[in-house]
Amino acid sequence: MARALSPSLWLHATSDTELAVLQVLDEHLADLPDAPPRIVTSARAFEADGLEGFIREHRISALVLPGAAVPADLVERVHKAGVAVFLVDTPDAIRTGRWTLIPGQLRGVLSHVTAIHARSAQAAATLARQVSKGVEVIATGPLARRKPAQPTNRPELEFLRGTIGPRPVWLACDATAPEIDPILLAHAHALRQAHRLLLILSVADEGLGRLACTRARDIGLTCAQRTLEDEIDDTTQVYVADAGDEPGLFMRLSQVTVLGGTLSGAGHVCRAEDAAALGSAIVFGPRLSPSETAFLADLQRAGGAVGVQGPAELGEAVTSLLVPEAGAIAALRAWTLATEGSDATHAVATALCRWFAAHEVRP
């Protein structure tokens, strides 16, 4: 780890699950102009033997510990070193390792804590009965476990919105060569129900742009190609995005996003979480990456996504989500799941920045 020159905030996870929470919190902090320097560690990678030296070297001023497993010895030692301790995403039962702390031990640990951000009002009420008057307990809610979508080129987004106008739009994101024909045929199918529908066909390889336009015209669809700086007009039915743009630019324009690579098994780049967080319902094939299988299963159960078994089902799936009311409900459910906990995470990030400012712990 690089040496920190300014007082730092230490985010430490006791498990891989909680590490995801802290990584998202770190990203929220990065977006705040007054955020302190941060160090993120996990129990697997951190050696407690050198704790005091670690605190001095990195000028640690505050420690954040998420979840139910609170390392009592660590809390004791950092407290002696003058480091403030914040518990976040905390349930009503705190434990060390596998064991729930008995009331006397719990009160001892919590006496060294500056503030607790609890997962629920019930957890906050339970914990408030265990802490001294100087410890603030806030019912912040469960923290986010999924990274927020990346920002995009705002001027270009507004230009495209103005060009497209009120037309319905769907996106095929990072489509591979074997998927181009099925996607174009699905669009031709959807056009029977929505005559002004626009397909943004984002290709996984920039070299596929010419092939995609050629195949679109072979099918009888009018096409504009981004690398050729073609304009989208009222007659454009397919816009081939082959300039390597950030996928979030087109997700923000689309009611439905099809995850390219999930039909062919060639892998995909765009993140399902990003599309959902940006208000797009999702269609996906059977060839999923392990990292997104659980999220897409949850999303499908929530009604924010449709899974298809092959290219033949693609047109019907897209068409079903382009029905205005059904599509709006699906997009809302996708957004709700993808952004769950983001408000709580932002609240914690803001509170930490306020603490650093109030204690004149500044970079």
Side-chain angles (χ1 to χ4, degrees):
M1 277 178 263
R3 180 182 177 85
L5 301 178
S6 303
S8 300
L9 174 63
W10 180 17
L11 310 173
H12 181 65
T14 57
S15 70
D16 289 343
T17 300
E18 303 304 341
L19 181 60
V21 169
L22 291 185
Q23 288 170 335
V24 176
L25 175 58
D26 183 45
E27 293 211 4
H28 277 258
L29 282 160
D31 289 335
L32 299 178
D34 54 348
R38 297 164 307 285
I39 297 171
V40 181
T41 62
S42 67
R44 183 183 302 175
F46 179 74
E47 294 292 340
D49 290 346
L51 176 62
E52 285 72 18
F54 174 83
I55 290 172
R56 288 193 303 270
E57 179 184 0
H58 296 283
R59 299 189 63 198
I60 303 298
S61 292
L63 166 65
V64 174
L65 294 168
V70 177
D73 180 64
L74 178 61
V75 172
E76 292 276 357
R77 290 171 66 185
V78 299
H79 174 70
K80 287 180 181 178
V83 174
V85 178
F86 295 85
L87 303 185
V88 302
D89 203 39
T90 310
D92 54 6
I94 295 178
R95 55 190 171 79
T96 55
R98 295 177 300 152
W99 308 107
T100 301
L101 290 168
I102 64 175
Q105 289 176 313
L106 177 58
R107 282 190 290 272
V109 171
L110 296 185
S111 68
H112 301 321
V113 171
T114 298
I116 302 173
H117 291 268
R119 287 182 189 171
S120 66
Q122 178 182 345
T126 300
L127 292 165
R129 292 193 291 268
Q130 303 292 330
V131 301
S132 60
K133 291 182 179 179
V135 178
E136 186 179 17
V137 181
I138 311 105
T140 310
L143 301 195
R145 283 160 169 75
R146 300 182 182 93
K147 295 181 180 181
Q150 295 299 308
T152 193
N153 183 329
R154 279 287 165 191
E156 182 65 12
L157 176 62
E158 294 308 318
F159 173 77
L160 287 170
R161 278 180 174 156
T163 301
I164 295 169
R167 295 177 63 181
V169 179
W170 70 286
L171 167 68
C173 184
D174 292 327
T176 62
E179 294 171 330
I180 289 174
D181 278 3
I183 287 168
L184 292 171
L185 291 171
H187 186 53
H189 176 87
L191 281 168
R192 300 171 191 166
Q193 304 296 324
H195 303 298
R196 301 188 67 228
L197 180 64
L198 174 67
L199 164 63
I200 299 178
L201 177 50
S202 164
V203 289
D205 182 342
E206 294 176 28
L208 293 175
R210 181 179 297 179
L211 170 65
C213 276
T214 299
R215 297 301 298 133
R217 293 178 181 123
D218 288 345
I219 293 172
L221 301 171
T222 59
C223 183
Q225 189 173 345
R226 188 162 175 81
T227 53
L228 298 182
E229 299 185 356
D230 294 339
E231 296 286 342
I232 300 173
D233 59 31
D234 288 341
T235 67
T236 304
Q237 295 170 311
V238 179
Y239 184 58
V240 174
D242 59 344
D245 297 278
E246 160 60 39
L249 173 66
F250 305 114
M251 290 173 182
R252 287 171 167 85
L253 298 166
S254 307
Q255 298 164 234
V256 178
T257 294
V258 173
L259 300 181
T262 63
L263 293 169
S264 67
H268 64 283
V269 177
C270 67
R271 298 173 66 245
E273 291 92 338
D274 286 348
L278 294 171
S280 184
I282 293 174
V283 177
F284 62 92
R287 310 294 291 275
L288 301 177
S289 63
S291 62
E292 294 197 316
T293 299
F295 172 71
L296 285 167
D298 290 344
L299 194 60
Q300 189 168 15
R301 282 192 293 271
V306 174
V308 298
Q309 292 306 306
E313 301 175 20
L314 188 58
E316 198 59 43
V318 170
T319 300
S320 70
L321 290 173
L322 288 169
V323 175
E325 184 174 348
I329 292 171
L332 176 60
R333 289 172 176 169
W335 176 85
T336 300
L337 182 62
T339 61
E340 183 179 19
S342 60
D343 288 346
T345 297
H346 185 75
V348 169
T350 303
L352 291 169
C353 289
R354 283 200 304 265
W355 184 87
F356 267 73
H359 291 77
E360 298 185 348
V361 182
R362 302 178 187 278

